[in-house]
């Protein structure tokens, strides 16, 4: 109807201008999110999306379960959809469109060809767009459903209708192969969305951020990748009064591609953000990626949880408390005891050992400051004369930053069998120091 006619009938009706560009962006966002269920996703007529889930049915525990998950993903994006499932793409498309007619049965998921044939035969022919130009003629001869059309002589039907109508019927009934152009997945992921209003509270952005996370998950699964670092950019004013975007970088201790964990992690970060200006758009970028490695189920799982659970806890604490407040010890490539270990953010990947099989007889307890030792009978003294039982471990390092250390470390033992880690400072005036204690 025209706007004037609508206003005359219902003055309270709100008029919204159609935006085809935004409609295509929304459809592309849905298709990207659905890639997590199958890599074969394609666009179709009447704002429809086709998915070939033949190889995914066992993974997602059957057609009913995968339909529920697809519907839930679309709802999380803020849209509603009518689903149809059938052995043929055209048949599934017709079944999905049949949901608009409330008088028709609600069975829109069929798995066998003979069941699909019986189901299509009873559907009205207007569900197929190529029948609409011939709707009056078909009604006049009593062909009101697909079954009646198929019973008509094929040669005469082609002369009076069109070749496209017969081909669509053949594709729906599985008598003609379907050539579908699946969407091409980009090599990198970057998606954005405009907010419905000027947002002044960061937590309000979670709905839009969730939509972007779902798209990234679909992209990750289709590429068989996992993300370790992704960024969320909060865009502010543009034009003359432009303000640089606020960027949140989320680093993960373990690669992830699961919806629940990524959304919860982002929610924790957004709850701590104070906006410098209203937000008018958000952008999500996947920065660092690694090949996906699905976790293997252990026959005897750890009672305290898997290492992945531990890393997810660290990521959650980091998002809640800040990276500077959640630290873990990590090795540093330096031989000096006072600098070979450091506290680093727990979300960072801990460094691995530089040399395999190397065992150093170093104590667990290193003193914060070495203690100078007395000498008794040419032997270092700490409560009692010390006897060398292992060593030396010679260290020469630090010349690159004017903190040269030239030492010989020994494991020494006192008269009470206590062990100490001492070193001889190799300078002009050689001195002994206590640097560590053994348990």
């Amino acid at each position: 109807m025209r706007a004037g006619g609508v206003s005359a009938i219902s003055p309270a009706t709100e008029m919204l201008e159609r935006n085809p560009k935004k409609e295509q962006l929304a459809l592309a966002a849905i298709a990207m999110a659905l890639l997590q269920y199958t890599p074969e996703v394609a666009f179709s007529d009447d704002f429809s999306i086709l998915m070939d889930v033949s190889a995914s049915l066992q993974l997602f525990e059957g057609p009913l379960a995968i339909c529920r998950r697809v519907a839930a993903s679309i709802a999380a994006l803020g849209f509603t959809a009518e689903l149809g499932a059938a052995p043929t793409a055209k048949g599934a498309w017709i079944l999905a469109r049949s949901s608009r007619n409330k008088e028709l049965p609600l069975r829109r998921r069929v798995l066998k060809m003979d069941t699909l044939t019986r189901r299509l035969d009873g559907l009205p022919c207007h569900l197929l767009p190529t029948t609409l130009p011939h709707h009056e003629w078909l009604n006049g001869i009593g062909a009101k459903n697909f079954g009646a059309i198929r019973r008509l002589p094929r040669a005469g039907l082609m002369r009076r209708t069109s070749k496209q109508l017969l081909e669509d019927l053949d594709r729906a009934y599985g008598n003609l192969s379907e050539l579908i152009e699946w969407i091409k997945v980009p090599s990198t992921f970057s998606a954005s969305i405009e907010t419905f209003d000027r947002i002044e509270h960061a937590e309000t952005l979670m709905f839009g951020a969730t939509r972007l996370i779902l798209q990234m998950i679909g992209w990750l699964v289709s590429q068989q990748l996992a993300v370790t670092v992704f960024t969320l950019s909060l865009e502010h004013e543009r034009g003359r009064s432009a303000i640089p975007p606020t960027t949140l970088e989320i680093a993960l201790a373990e690669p992830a591609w699961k919806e629940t964990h990524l959304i919860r992690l982002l929610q924790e970060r957004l709850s701590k953000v104070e906006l410098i200006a209203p937000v008018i758009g958000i952008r999500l970028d996947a920065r660092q990626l690694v090949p996906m490695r699905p976790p293997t189920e252990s026959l005897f799982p750890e009672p305290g949880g898997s290492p992945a659970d531990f890393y997810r806890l660290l990521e959650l604490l980091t998002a809640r408390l800040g990276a500077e407040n959640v630290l873990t010890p990590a090795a540093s490539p330096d031989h000096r005891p006072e600098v070979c270990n450091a506290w680093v953010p727990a979300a960072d990947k801990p460094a691995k050992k530089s040399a395999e099989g190397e065992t150093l007889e170093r104590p667990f307890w290193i003193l914060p400051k070495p203690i100078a030792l007395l000498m008794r009978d040419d032997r270092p003294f700490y409560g009692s004369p010390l006897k060398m039982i292992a060593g030396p471990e010679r260290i020469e390092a630090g010349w690159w930053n004017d903190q040269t250390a030239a030492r010989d470390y020994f494991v020494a033992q006192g008269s009470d069998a206590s062990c100490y880690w001492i070193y001889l400072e190799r300078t002009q005036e050689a001195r002994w120091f206590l640097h560590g204690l053994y348990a």
Side-chain angles (χ1 to χ4, degrees), residues 25 32 185-193 212 215-216 219 230-233 235 282-287 289:
L25 290 176
M32 184 68 71
V185 183
S187 58
T188 59
F189 178 81
S190 179
S192 61
I193 188 175
L212 298 179
Q215 295 179 52
M216 183 177 71
W219 181 83
F230 64 94
T231 58
L232 184 71
S233 301
E235 299 177 356
I282 55 179
R283 173 177 292 278
L284 186 70
D285 297 279
R287 295 296 185 187
L289 305 165

Side-chain angles (χ1 to χ4, degrees), residues 260-340:
T260 306
H261 180 56
L262 294 177
I263 291 178
R264 186 179 181 187
L265 198 61
L266 187 57
Q267 187 175 13
E268 291 290 343
R269 285 294 302 272
L270 282 176
S271 64
K272 304 297 180 183
V273 173
E274 294 184 3
L275 299 178
I276 59 175
V279 176
I280 60 176
I282 55 179
R283 173 177 292 278
L284 186 70
D285 297 279
R287 295 296 185 187
Q288 296 183 15
L289 305 165
V290 296
M292 182 186 295
R293 294 180 180 178
T296 57
E297 296 294 338
S298 174
L299 180 60
F300 302 104
E302 294 291 336
S306 64
D309 296 330
F310 173 70
Y311 283 120
R312 280 194 290 268
L313 174 62
L314 291 182
E315 293 165 0
L316 185 61
L317 292 175
T318 300
R320 185 172 298 178
L321 304 176
E324 69 280 0
N325 295 320
V326 184
L327 306 177
T328 185
S332 177
D334 199 303
H335 292 284
R336 292 171 293 177
E338 60 270 22
V339 294
C340 69

Side-chain angles (χ1 to χ4, degrees), residues 63-77:
L64 185 59
I66 196 172
C67 285
R68 288 174 177 171
R69 295 190 61 168
V70 168
S73 297
I74 296 175
L77 291 170

Side-chain angles (χ1 to χ4, degrees), residues 78-389:
F79 302 99
T80 57
E82 299 294 346
L83 303 182
T88 65
K90 202 67 175 182
W93 184 81
I94 293 175
L95 292 179
R97 297 187 80 238
S98 68
S99 62
R100 301 175 183 177
N101 192 336
K102 303 303 180 183
E103 299 178 357
L104 297 176
L106 295 178
R107 188 178 180 185
R108 298 189 298 272
R109 290 185 289 268
V110 295
L111 301 181
K112 299 180 179 179
M113 282 303 306
D114 55 350
T115 308
L116 176 62
T117 300
R118 292 194 302 269
R119 182 74 182 91
L120 291 177
D121 283 346
L123 293 179
C125 59
H126 66 79
L127 294 176
L128 201 58
T130 49
T131 64
L132 296 180
H134 318 285
H135 182 68
E136 184 176 353
W137 177 77
L138 290 172
N139 276 341
I141 63 175
K144 297 183 179 181
N145 52 44
F146 294 127
I149 294 179
R150 294 180 69 221
R151 289 191 293 268
L152 296 174
R154 187 177 181 90
L157 184 63
M158 180 177 293
R159 287 196 304 269
R160 289 170 174 80
T161 57
S162 65
K163 181 181 178 182
Q164 185 64 39
L165 187 150
L166 294 179
E167 290 180 350
D168 287 345
L169 284 176
D170 289 340
R171 291 189 180 96
Y173 283 87
N175 298 324
L176 186 65
S177 60
E178 299 176 285
L179 300 178
I180 302 175
E181 184 179 357
W182 308 114
I183 63 174
K184 296 181 180 179
V185 183
S187 58
T188 59
F189 178 81
S190 179
S192 61
I193 188 175
E194 294 184 0
T195 59
F196 59 89
D197 199 356
R198 296 165 62 88
I199 305 300
E200 298 182 355
H201 301 282
E203 294 182 357
T204 314
L205 299 170
M206 197 57 212
F207 175 73
T210 300
R211 295 178 60 178
L212 298 179
I213 287 288
L214 291 174
Q215 295 179 52
M216 183 177 71
I217 291 172
W219 181 83
L220 289 172
V221 174
S222 68
Q223 300 287 77
Q224 290 294 292
L225 296 173
V227 64
T228 57
V229 177
F230 64 94
T231 58
L232 184 71
S233 301
L234 311 181
E235 299 177 356
H236 305 294
E237 296 292 341
R238 303 188 182 100
R240 294 182 178 179
S241 56
I243 300 176
T246 302
T247 302
L248 304 180
E249 183 176 275
I250 294 89
L252 294 90
E254 284 289 302
W257 66 92
K258 299 294 185 181
E259 170 186 341
T260 306
H261 180 56
L262 294 177
I263 291 178
R264 186 179 181 187
L265 198 61
L266 187 57
Q267 187 175 13
E268 291 290 343
R269 285 294 302 272
L270 282 176
S271 64
K272 304 297 180 183
V273 173
E274 294 184 3
L275 299 178
I276 59 175
V279 176
I280 60 176
I282 55 179
R283 173 177 292 278
L284 186 70
D285 297 279
R287 295 296 185 187
Q288 296 183 15
L289 305 165
V290 296
M292 182 186 295
R293 294 180 180 178
T296 57
E297 296 294 338
S298 174
L299 180 60
F300 302 104
E302 294 291 336
S306 64
D309 296 330
F310 173 70
Y311 283 120
R312 280 194 290 268
L313 174 62
L314 291 182
E315 293 165 0
L316 185 61
L317 292 175
T318 300
R320 185 172 298 178
L321 304 176
E324 69 280 0
N325 295 320
V326 184
L327 306 177
T328 185
S332 177
D334 199 303
H335 292 284
R336 292 171 293 177
E338 60 270 22
V339 294
C340 69
N341 297 298
W343 290 97
V344 298
D348 294 349
K349 198 73 173 177
K352 299 184 181 295
K353 289 185 178 181
S354 58
E356 295 183 357
E358 181 183 1
T359 57
L360 299 176
E361 296 181 351
R362 291 187 173 184
F364 182 76
W365 185 1
I366 301 295
L367 301 178
K369 184 177 181 180
I371 300 175
L373 298 178
L374 301 175
M375 298 294 295
R376 298 279 179 88
D377 299 329
D378 296 328
R379 292 168 62 185
F381 184 90
Y382 188 73
S384 65
L386 302 179
K387 179 178 64 174
M388 310 303 171
I389 60 175

